[in-house]
Amino acid sequence: AKRAASQADQTVRPHMLEPGALTPSSAGMSLRPPQKACTTPVREDDDFRCDDGRLPHLTGFEEEGLPACQSRCEEEHECAFVSYWINSKWCSLTSSCDTLREAGNGPISVYSCFPPPPTQPPPLSPGTCTNRRTEWMADNGYDCSWTFGLENYCNRESLWVADRICQKACFEAGFAYDGDFCVKPPSPPPSPSPSSPPPLP
């Protein structure tokens, strides 16, 4: 049975990057829509559609299904969101999607033409690093205070990178290997001072 659209709308802020303005490099040059892919899910298989920024001239049935609906939006510079009725193949295109409204005849899937924000890598956990030397360094009397090696080989030379040569010194010199976050190992507790011998009777 057809359900009546709810009068209450739901305000959301799905990720959206505004299309950049295109400027022709010379007078009379036509503007082309930017390349984009309207495939980033905003909501899937529920009863909500984008309710603002409607583009009526781009809305209608799409017999070829969702891919054709998405392609229709990709070809239009002003189009940024696709609301697609899965069963009826109704294709609604909008330039924004600040508000989602519950609609009938679902399920509906909403897609954005812009990628989701990149995920941030987790913060590095501090660890204890070593100052391992190469055999050549050991044979020739060089340790990890060797300035030329630190400035030229840390995180640059393949052997050093593979074995993390002078890992701690490289980190402290500002040439850390990818993923390194070196901390000093905890200092051992001080040894107790020897107790004085008991006094002679």
Side-chain angles (χ1 to χ4, degrees), residues 7-160:
Q7 295 301 315
D9 53 19
Q10 184 179 24
T11 300
V12 296
R13 300 292 175 186
H15 173 70
M16 184 179 73
L17 300 177
E18 292 292 343
L22 299 180
T23 303
S25 58
S26 60
M29 180 179 176
S30 63
L31 296 179
R32 295 174 59 88
Q35 292 184 349
K36 56 187 178 183
C38 303
T39 56
T40 302
V42 176
R43 300 181 71 104
E44 292 185 290
D45 299 342
D46 62 13
D47 295 326
F48 290 87
R49 62 170 171 82
C50 295
D51 195 47
D52 53 276
R54 297 189 190 183
L55 304 171
H57 62 292
L58 299 176
T59 295
F61 288 104
E62 184 49 75
E63 293 298 332
E64 300 299 322
L66 175 61
C69 179
Q70 292 167 321
S71 295
R72 188 192 302 177
C73 189
E74 291 163 1
E75 293 170 358
E76 296 291 334
H77 176 68
E78 58 188 330
C79 185
F81 287 88
V82 171
S83 298
Y84 181 75
W85 278 251
I86 297 171
N87 293 334
S88 65
K89 297 184 178 181
W90 183 260
C91 173
S92 175
L93 307 183
T94 58
S95 61
S96 59
C97 193
D98 289 334
T99 302
L100 290 171
R101 180 182 290 273
E102 187 173 3
N105 297 330
I108 304 166
S109 290
V110 178
Y111 297 90
S112 166
C113 297
F114 305 97
T119 56
Q120 297 296 324
L124 297 174
S125 299
T128 302
C129 301
T130 64
N131 268 336
R132 177 184 176 186
R133 295 182 293 172
T134 65
E135 291 184 10
W136 182 90
M137 291 172 65
D139 292 342
N140 289 272
Y142 290 94
D143 60 22
C144 288
S145 63
W146 182 31
T147 303
F148 180 87
L150 297 179
E151 293 178 350
N152 293 275
Y153 298 150
C154 289
N155 68 32
R156 298 178 184 178
E157 201 277 328
S158 58
L159 174 62
W160 280 50

Side-chain angles (χ1 to χ4, degrees), residues 176-188:
Y177 296 105
D178 287 344
D180 278 357
F181 183 18
C182 302
V183 295
K184 294 181 179 179
S187 302

